[in-house]
Amino acid sequence: MVTTTATSNNSAEPFRSVTAEEIAHYKSHGWVRLKRFLPQATVDVLLSYAKERMGEDGATSANPGKFSFFNSLAVQQPHHPLFGPIIRHFGKSAVALRDLKVSPGIRYFKDSFGVKLPSNRADGHGRSDWHQDFAAQVSDRSGGMVFWSALIDMTPDKGTMAFLDGSHRHGVMGDYRTYGEGNLLDAYPGLIEECPSSGYLTLSAGDVTVHSDMCVHSAGKNVSDGPRWTYLVQLNPADARWTGAPSVSFDTSSLTLLNTLDEERFPTVG
Ligand SMILES: O=C(O)CCC(=O)C(=O)O
Ligand SMILES: [Fe+2]
């Protein structure tokens, strides 16, 4: 039986709530796949917004050379009429997934489009290697998560995500920049026996995966002949405080050491 839990689904917004089964999966595995979580009409608008700015093939990067694993176009307009409702929908869902008994709510951190180009292009991308997100978050507490939305149908050859089941219970395993040419599994080779891989997923447009900032994950190389289009929203607990470390992914100039984040730049969304 599929039961839906209330995440204050507003009938004016075309979004479904997370189900009890999805919440249970997230808690036990550290990640979950939310099938058809974004309606096709929303996916269509997101994709055309991204293509207008990144080109039909997604080859124009707003941050050239910044990441080797995909072209990234930061959006950062949490009150925009297109992005705002999606971000708040994810925020409410994040609170339902995490459980309010242990979380004071959720704050928006960052959203962006991510385009992984076919690896056989001169400007193509490699694998997004095994890592946890937490150590690079510059937050003094975990509980954050990424909502990763497929904007096209994708089989594993497009470079989809895979997760290590239950790895979110194994503590913080380092910043991804500390593994040199290797990855988290070179540093923790026994982990894969404890936490089997989900395998690279097959997703439909509108499917959203959510992973905890403690869940180990990777994305394969895109060995298909077209771009992999995704929209990513990163959320952190509302009570998160800045550790004082520099961030690779966002501007920390408005933050002060060990203080909570400003509501203007990092609004509470759940
Ligand atoms: O999309 C990818 O290739 C990697 C994304 C990722 O690591 C994340 O969303 O945390
Ligand atoms: Fe990640």
Side-chain angles (χ1 to χ4, degrees):
M1 188 183 71
V2 176
T3 46
T4 51
T5 52
T7 55
S8 61
N9 203 15
N10 181 338
S11 56
E13 290 176 359
F15 302 123
R16 74 165 176 88
S17 302
V18 289
T19 67
E21 286 82 357
E22 288 165 342
I23 294 170
H25 191 284
Y26 179 82
K27 284 191 201 307
S28 72
H29 293 71
W31 67 276
V32 65
R33 170 190 176 178
L34 307 173
K35 286 190 191 166
R36 305 280 184 188
F37 203 54
L38 291 179
Q40 189 60 48
T42 304
V43 170
D44 291 345
V45 183
L46 285 172
L47 193 55
S48 48
Y49 179 100
K51 283 186 174 177
E52 255 170 50
R53 289 154 181 85
M54 302 179 84
E56 266 305 304
D57 63 357
T60 310
S61 173
N63 302 306
K66 187 164 181 215
F67 296 123
S68 59
F69 36 92
F70 55 75
N71 277 348
S72 175
L73 173 73
V75 182
Q76 218 170 294
Q77 297 182 67
H79 305 296
H80 185 282
L82 168 61
F83 299 104
I86 298 171
I87 290 169
R88 286 192 299 277
H89 168 50
F90 288 172
K92 285 173 194 151
S93 308
V95 168
L97 289 170
R98 173 110 200 276
D99 187 344
L100 255 185
K101 287 199 279 298
V102 291
S103 167
I106 280 283
R107 216 180 257 293
Y108 162 85
F109 250 61
K110 208 191 135 178
D111 63 325
S112 56
F113 290 94
V115 180
K116 196 186 270 292
L117 295 175
S119 60
N120 64 3
R121 286 175 57 129
D123 56 356
H125 299 108
R127 182 164 87 152
S128 311
D129 234 335
W130 295 106
H131 67 281
Q132 264 174 335
D133 294 339
F134 176 70
Q137 302 272 324
V138 304
S139 160
D140 75 334
R141 55 206 78 186
S142 63
M145 54 187 88
V146 170
F147 282 66
W148 192 103
S149 308
L151 301 182
I152 55 170
D153 293 344
M154 43 178 94
T155 40
D157 61 327
K158 274 268 184 291
T160 57
M161 295 279 270
F163 306 93
L164 299 190
D165 282 336
S167 55
H168 61 306
R169 284 192 287 269
H170 286 266
V172 180
M173 289 173 269
D175 189 301
Y176 71 92
R177 292 164 295 178
T178 61
Y179 308 130
E181 295 298 302
N183 63 56
L184 186 146
L185 287 182
D186 297 309
Y188 297 90
L191 189 69
I192 192 84
E193 284 149 43
E194 290 284 311
C195 304
S197 171
S198 63
Y200 293 109
L201 303 181
T202 293
L203 301 169
S204 301
D207 286 357
V208 176
T209 65
V210 187
H211 60 274
S212 138
D213 55 9
M214 299 288 281
C215 178
V216 178
H217 55 281
S218 76
K221 253 190 206 172
N222 180 353
V223 293
S224 76
D225 55 10
R228 184 208 76 179
W229 288 96
T230 51
Y231 172 61
L232 299 92
V233 176
Q234 185 191 323
L235 306 172
N236 267 343
D239 60 344
R241 289 170 182 249
W242 183 44
T243 60
S247 167
V248 278
S249 59
F250 59 89
D251 178 15
T252 54
S253 57
S254 69
L255 307 182
T256 54
L257 180 64
L258 297 182
N259 269 320
T260 47
L261 311 185
D262 61 288
E263 193 59 33
E264 175 64 24
R265 162 65 184 82
F266 301 94
T268 307
V269 290

